[in-house]
Amino acid sequence: MTGDISGMEREDMARLAKEQSNMGMIVVPYEHLLKQYSELLELEQMMNADDPDLRRLAREERQEVLENVATCENDIINGLLPKDSAESAGAILEIRAGTGGDEASLFCADLLHMYEKYAQLRKWKLETMSMDSEGDKIKEVVLKVSGRGVFGVLMFESGVHRVQRVPATETQGRVHTSTATVAVLPHATNVNIVIKESDLRIDVFRASGKGGQHVNTTDSAVRITHIPTGISVENQQERSQIQNRERAMQVLRARMYERERSRLDLERRASRNKLIGSGDRSEKCRTYNYAQNRVTDHRINFSMYNIEGMMNGTALQIVIDQLRIQHDLDELASMDDFDYISPPTQ
């Protein structure tokens, strides 16, 4: 940046620094692309040389340069794509058992294990905000996932996940179909969303479940309702009412932030057909078929035959990459407001 910045506010300086960084994501690969084009021209001339060894070396180097060109073009495309500031944030990950009784609760636990293993591979930090479980069965779990770009990676996981397998309790070998619901919300801060205290109704009650005598005699559980929207969150994970209130507020902010993002997103995309969809939790997104060792993402019609790798988190990135590719292609197709500017003629 150039010019006098002595009188600038810190927020303005941060904004300009971010804009400069974003421009660098386009300018740097574009300059490198021009260099690769120049090298291609030289190599094409060398391929017409009389020396066969020189022609062979030129062909080999040309293939490498073409790969560099593709990389530069992809980098430029990524730099041109609209940026969602929420993608760089952490996330609130909610997993709930759906239809299928105990098998749905077991599948909910399997999904939790999958995301835990994946988070370990990404070196993300997981914090359990709340959990309703009994033994190996989980009815509902809410996690706070911290790390760089967490929401941008997990944002396509929202939806209904369906499992087809023979439950451990099935004596006749019949395949059952059960579901679990996943919701991924960007972690909101006070800067993202402002909630008036007067808009909240806060109820306290005695926690249920494990915890012994203390749980049964202390009003430590908290339910917070945002009156204008009707969004309600409760938490009884901790023994402290203050801690439960803070955890509930974090989830409430995330849900309100996602509500506003969804509203703006629907307005922006109303005229377009989305292959990946809105990521709404009611949308069926993926099937895990154990008998066929197959995982299918219905939004992009992509199948992978590696159930074990998927459920231990090592193969999840493959599906996420495919979803990201389709998302980016769809975003590019929607950028119909760009005008091509031809280079000046001599």
Side-chain angles (χ1 to χ4, degrees):
M1 289 182 293
T2 59
D4 182 14
I5 62 172
S6 58
M8 295 179 62
E9 297 290 340
R10 180 177 299 177
E11 291 80 3
D12 293 331
M13 292 178 64
R15 177 179 55 80
L16 289 176
K18 184 176 181 180
E19 289 179 1
Q20 184 185 44
S21 176
N22 291 338
M23 286 298 296
M25 295 174 63
I26 302 173
V27 173
V28 173
Y30 178 71
E31 291 176 344
H32 190 50
L33 180 63
L34 294 180
K35 182 179 178 181
Q36 298 302 306
Y37 282 157
S38 178
E39 291 186 16
L40 272 180
L41 291 175
E42 294 178 6
L43 290 171
E44 288 176 359
Q45 293 175 357
M46 292 172 60
M47 289 171 62
N48 295 323
D50 295 332
D51 188 339
D53 291 335
L54 187 60
R55 293 199 302 270
R56 177 179 56 81
L57 289 173
R59 283 194 298 270
E60 293 175 357
E61 290 186 25
R62 183 175 183 273
Q63 184 59 38
E64 182 180 345
V65 172
L66 286 174
E67 293 175 0
N68 292 337
V69 167
T71 300
C72 292
E73 290 174 343
N74 287 334
D75 290 342
I76 293 172
I77 289 173
N78 289 333
L80 288 171
L81 287 171
K83 298 295 187 297
D84 186 343
S85 60
E87 290 192 25
S88 62
I92 300 294
L93 175 63
E94 303 178 347
I95 312 172
R96 293 179 175 85
T99 58
D102 287 346
E103 172 63 7
S105 297
L106 291 171
F107 181 50
C108 183
D110 290 339
L111 289 178
L112 172 60
H113 175 77
M114 179 182 75
Y115 290 123
E116 285 177 335
K117 292 298 184 182
Y118 181 70
Q120 289 177 12
L121 293 173
R122 300 291 303 235
K123 293 182 170 53
W124 292 340
K125 179 182 177 182
L126 285 180
E127 178 184 351
T128 302
M129 307 286 286
S130 65
M131 181 184 294
D132 183 0
S133 63
E134 182 179 347
D136 295 333
K137 299 186 287 290
I138 296 178
K139 294 182 179 179
E140 176 182 320
V141 59
V142 179
L143 303 171
K144 179 181 177 181
V145 191
S146 303
R148 183 176 179 85
V150 170
F151 180 72
V153 175
L154 294 180
M155 58 190 288
F156 303 122
E157 292 300 296
S158 292
V160 176
H161 294 237
R162 183 177 65 175
V163 62
Q164 295 175 325
R165 64 186 178 187
V166 179
T169 55
E170 172 59 50
T171 59
Q172 300 182 18
R174 293 175 298 185
V175 174
H176 290 224
T177 298
S178 305
T179 64
T181 299
V182 175
V184 182
L185 315 172
H187 183 239
T189 66
N190 291 328
V191 177
N192 299 131
I193 191 80
V194 177
I195 302 176
K196 296 179 181 179
E197 191 74 22
S198 58
D199 288 339
L200 299 178
R201 183 176 70 246
I202 301 176
D203 302 309
V204 295
F205 54 96
R206 292 181 182 179
S208 60
K210 299 178 181 180
Q213 184 178 4
H214 174 85
V215 170
N216 296 324
T217 59
T218 306
D219 290 337
S220 59
V222 175
R223 181 187 300 110
I224 302 178
T225 303
H226 185 250
I227 298 172
T229 62
I231 297 175
S232 181
V233 178
E234 67 177 55
N235 194 291
Q236 54 181 329
Q237 186 72 12
E238 303 297 330
R239 292 190 173 188
S240 164
Q241 183 185 121
I242 296 175
Q243 289 178 314
N244 284 330
R245 173 170 174 164
E246 176 57 30
R247 285 173 179 260
M249 281 300 298
Q250 290 184 37
V251 176
L252 179 65
R253 289 192 191 99
R255 291 184 182 176
M256 291 186 62
Y257 184 35
E258 177 63 12
R259 176 190 175 100
E260 180 64 13
R261 285 185 68 260
S262 297
R263 183 187 68 79
L264 295 175
D265 191 57
L266 284 173
E267 291 179 358
R268 185 169 66 90
R269 303 171 188 266
S271 62
R272 303 205 309 268
N273 249 342
K274 298 290 291 178
L275 283 176
I276 292 180
S278 63
D280 188 85
R281 67 184 64 190
S282 63
E283 178 184 0
K284 182 180 72 173
C285 65
R286 192 175 299 154
T287 295
Y288 306 73
N289 189 305
Y290 277 67
Q292 300 177 11
N293 191 33
R294 172 176 55 83
V295 178
T296 297
D297 197 289
H298 303 286
R299 296 163 293 182
I300 55 176
N301 196 27
F302 174 79
S303 292
M304 176 180 63
Y305 294 85
N306 186 2
I307 279 282
E308 182 179 356
M310 188 70 176
M311 302 315 293
N312 65 27
T314 57
L316 177 58
Q317 188 64 51
I318 297 174
V319 180
I320 289 175
D321 287 343
Q322 293 299 316
L323 289 163
R324 170 56 66 177
I325 290 171
Q326 184 57 59
H327 172 269
D328 290 350
L329 289 173
D330 194 58
E331 288 289 339
L332 283 173
S334 71
M335 295 170 65
D336 54 3
D337 55 344
F338 276 110
D339 293 325
Y340 173 73
I341 303 177
S342 58
T345 57
Q346 298 295 330

